[in-house]
Amino acid sequence: PVPKWALIAVAVAVAVLLLLFLVCVIKCCCSKKKPKKKEKVNLLSVQSSTMASLVQPEMEDLEPSPEDKKRGKLQYSLEYNLRAQEMKIGVKQAADLKAMDSGGTSDPYVIVYLTSDMKKKYETKVYRKTLNPVFNESFTFQVPQAEVPESTLVMQVYDFNRFAKHDIIGEVRLPLASVSLQRAIEQWSDLEAASKVEQEQLGEVCFSLRYVPSTGKLTVVVLEAKKLKRMDSRGLSDPFVKVHLILNRKKWKKRKTSVKKNTLSPYFNEVFVFEVPFNQIQNVDLVISVWDHDKMTKNEQIGKLFLGCRATGNQLRHWSDMLSNPRRPIAQWHSLQAVDVVDKALGLKTHLKLPLHTR
């Protein structure tokens, strides 16, 4: 029979051998994975490595190339007739336009207008499947000499789509103040990305405010307006001004000036006096709106603005100047704003109107 101690010695030896075998296996596995990990780190850290450049490209490779930014160019002419007070704009041709269709072409046409009269726009014919259209069309605008430096010529090149919205390829904007119109001009200009929809210039109005706290009298003097938007087909308007008082977002009192015929720069100098108690002056909004009078159809609003403690910008500053200088008239020019924008800011409670007074 084998002694008990011999059995124990054999068992211990076997256990040691198994432990050594497991250690060797684990060591071999670790030594095989380690070089792969080191190789991966080295590839990412070396900038000159081809693999690294494929996995993580340089920022220059992500930016569009100059070719992608090109939209083409437009040739046009410009001539101003001082005696007739009219501007003749010729759209000659375009070249190297950006392809907007899947076939690698476009169906271009051009829209032309002046920012001084955005209501009047012209457009050329559409030319099918070309990136180099020849238009050779001219358009005439009636522009008083005084308004020329304040206007910008805009020529927008579009791609025509029969069943979808037309895509704009690019535009040329030429401020007329930067151009000498003593002689005719003909030149090429690169198309730029189209800017956001510009805010239409509606005109400006000047009025003075005076408030006397002891008597509660608010005096509004409508002085004049200028650069009003053309509302008639002949390029003029028949403007008049309405003055509204709104109390706690409800219409309260109103007055209006006389109508000035055929002018974009009317002179009124008309005075309106309203009774506004001192304890209500903080709750009052003063709304100034300019209208175009029509005999046969409904009068149209050109633009409006409002002053009061809820106003902002120049309107709030004018109102604050009036309150901080009691008994003293404060006059200031204001730019007219779009009617829907002002109405939204006022948030009138139209279903709870107070009776309108004429005082």
Side-chain angles (χ1 to χ4, degrees), residues 33-213:
K33 291 182 179 180
K34 192 173 181 181
K36 290 186 177 180
K37 186 175 181 182
K38 187 180 293 185
E39 183 181 4
K40 184 177 180 181
V41 173
N42 288 338
L43 282 174
L44 291 175
S45 61
V46 179
Q47 294 183 355
S48 60
S49 172
T50 304
M51 182 64 71
S53 64
L54 290 174
V55 176
Q56 190 173 3
E58 298 294 333
M59 291 303 296
E60 290 79 2
D61 298 332
L62 297 177
E63 294 180 358
S65 64
E67 294 295 327
D68 295 334
K69 296 180 181 179
K70 287 185 177 180
R71 300 174 180 274
K73 54 186 178 178
L74 182 70
Q75 185 187 32
Y76 56 93
S77 63
L78 189 63
E79 184 178 1
Y80 185 69
N81 188 326
L82 183 60
R83 180 174 298 179
Q85 302 279 291
E86 64 182 23
M87 183 170 293
K88 186 176 181 180
I89 299 167
V91 180
K92 302 295 184 181
Q93 59 183 320
D96 304 324
L97 293 179
K98 182 180 179 181
M100 305 296 286
D101 299 338
S102 57
T105 61
S106 294
D107 302 322
Y109 69 97
V110 182
I111 292 179
V112 183
Y113 65 91
L114 296 173
T115 56
S116 58
D117 186 12
M118 293 174 58
K119 198 173 183 179
K120 189 173 186 179
K121 295 184 179 182
Y122 294 104
E123 62 182 63
T124 67
K125 296 178 182 178
V126 177
Y127 287 80
R128 300 286 183 178
K129 298 182 179 180
T130 177
L131 301 179
N132 300 282
V134 178
F135 300 103
N136 283 333
E137 297 185 41
S138 60
F139 310 100
T140 302
F141 294 85
Q142 293 292 329
V143 188
Q145 185 181 3
E147 296 182 13
V148 171
E150 301 171 356
S151 186
T152 297
L153 169 63
V154 182
M155 293 169 286
Q156 298 177 321
V157 183
Y158 279 84
D159 173 48
F160 176 84
N161 290 309
R162 185 175 297 276
F163 302 107
K165 183 180 178 181
H166 299 180
D167 299 317
I168 187 165
I169 300 175
E171 68 177 14
V172 173
R173 285 180 176 263
L174 183 66
L176 298 182
S178 63
V179 179
S180 175
L181 297 176
Q182 296 179 354
R183 57 184 178 82
I185 298 171
E186 184 172 318
Q187 61 187 20
W188 285 89
S189 291
D190 291 330
L191 294 174
E192 303 290 341
S195 58
K196 294 181 180 180
V197 179
E198 56 201 330
Q199 184 176 358
E200 189 173 12
Q201 299 299 315
L202 303 175
E204 300 176 48
V205 61
C206 181
F207 54 90
S208 72
L209 302 177
R210 177 175 179 261
Y211 184 67
V212 181

Side-chain angles (χ1 to χ4, degrees), residues 227-238:
K227 303 176 187 176
L228 295 179
K229 177 184 175 182
R230 298 177 177 89
M231 302 296 288
D232 299 339
S233 57
R234 59 186 183 278
L236 295 172
S237 296
D238 300 323

Side-chain angles (χ1 to χ4, degrees), residues 91-357:
V91 180
K92 302 295 184 181
Q93 59 183 320
D96 304 324
L97 293 179
K98 182 180 179 181
M100 305 296 286
D101 299 338
S102 57
T105 61
S106 294
D107 302 322
Y109 69 97
V110 182
I111 292 179
V112 183
Y113 65 91
L114 296 173
T115 56
S116 58
D117 186 12
M118 293 174 58
K119 198 173 183 179
K120 189 173 186 179
K121 295 184 179 182
Y122 294 104
E123 62 182 63
T124 67
K125 296 178 182 178
V126 177
Y127 287 80
R128 300 286 183 178
K129 298 182 179 180
T130 177
L131 301 179
N132 300 282
V134 178
F135 300 103
N136 283 333
E137 297 185 41
S138 60
F139 310 100
T140 302
F141 294 85
Q142 293 292 329
V143 188
Q145 185 181 3
E147 296 182 13
V148 171
E150 301 171 356
S151 186
T152 297
L153 169 63
V154 182
M155 293 169 286
Q156 298 177 321
V157 183
Y158 279 84
D159 173 48
F160 176 84
N161 290 309
R162 185 175 297 276
F163 302 107
K165 183 180 178 181
H166 299 180
D167 299 317
I168 187 165
I169 300 175
E171 68 177 14
V172 173
R173 285 180 176 263
L174 183 66
L176 298 182
S178 63
V179 179
S180 175
L181 297 176
Q182 296 179 354
R183 57 184 178 82
I185 298 171
E186 184 172 318
Q187 61 187 20
W188 285 89
S189 291
D190 291 330
L191 294 174
E192 303 290 341
S195 58
K196 294 181 180 180
V197 179
E198 56 201 330
Q199 184 176 358
E200 189 173 12
Q201 299 299 315
L202 303 175
E204 300 176 48
V205 61
C206 181
F207 54 90
S208 72
L209 302 177
R210 177 175 179 261
Y211 184 67
V212 181
S214 58
T215 61
K217 290 188 181 297
L218 173 63
T219 303
V220 181
V221 183
V222 180
L223 297 170
E224 58 181 314
K226 63 181 180 181
K227 303 176 187 176
L228 295 179
K229 177 184 175 182
R230 298 177 177 89
M231 302 296 288
D232 299 339
S233 57
R234 59 186 183 278
L236 295 172
S237 296
D238 300 323
F240 66 96
V241 178
K242 285 185 179 180
V243 182
H244 278 88
L245 280 187
I246 295 175
L247 178 62
N248 295 324
R249 302 193 180 191
K250 291 175 283 187
K251 292 182 179 180
W252 188 25
K253 302 177 181 180
K254 70 174 181 178
R255 299 287 295 276
K256 66 179 180 178
T257 69
S258 56
V259 177
K260 305 298 179 181
K261 297 288 186 179
N262 301 327
T263 180
L264 299 177
S265 300
Y267 182 76
F268 300 101
N269 196 26
E270 298 186 31
V271 182
F272 307 110
V273 180
F274 301 92
E275 293 184 2
V276 183
F278 182 69
N279 61 352
Q280 294 285 5
I281 194 66
Q282 300 289 340
N283 303 320
V284 166
D285 295 310
L286 173 66
V287 181
I288 305 291
S289 56
V290 181
W291 296 68
D292 174 49
H293 175 75
D294 286 311
K295 288 184 178 180
M296 306 301 294
T297 59
K298 186 178 179 181
N299 297 336
E300 294 181 88
Q301 288 194 71
I302 299 175
K304 66 196 306 182
L305 60 102
F306 81 96
L307 298 89
C309 295
R310 294 194 296 137
T312 59
N314 289 329
Q315 289 85 351
L316 178 59
R317 189 177 299 110
H318 193 179
W319 188 259
S320 300
D321 289 344
M322 177 199 72
L323 294 177
S324 59
N325 295 276
R327 304 178 181 84
R328 177 184 168 189
I330 306 294
Q332 186 173 322
W333 281 96
H334 292 273
S335 297
L336 293 173
Q337 301 172 8
V339 174
D340 56 344
V341 173
V342 177
D343 288 345
K344 183 178 180 181
L346 286 171
L348 297 181
K349 300 177 181 178
T350 54
H351 60 289
L352 292 174
K353 292 183 180 178
L354 290 179
L356 299 176
H357 301 279

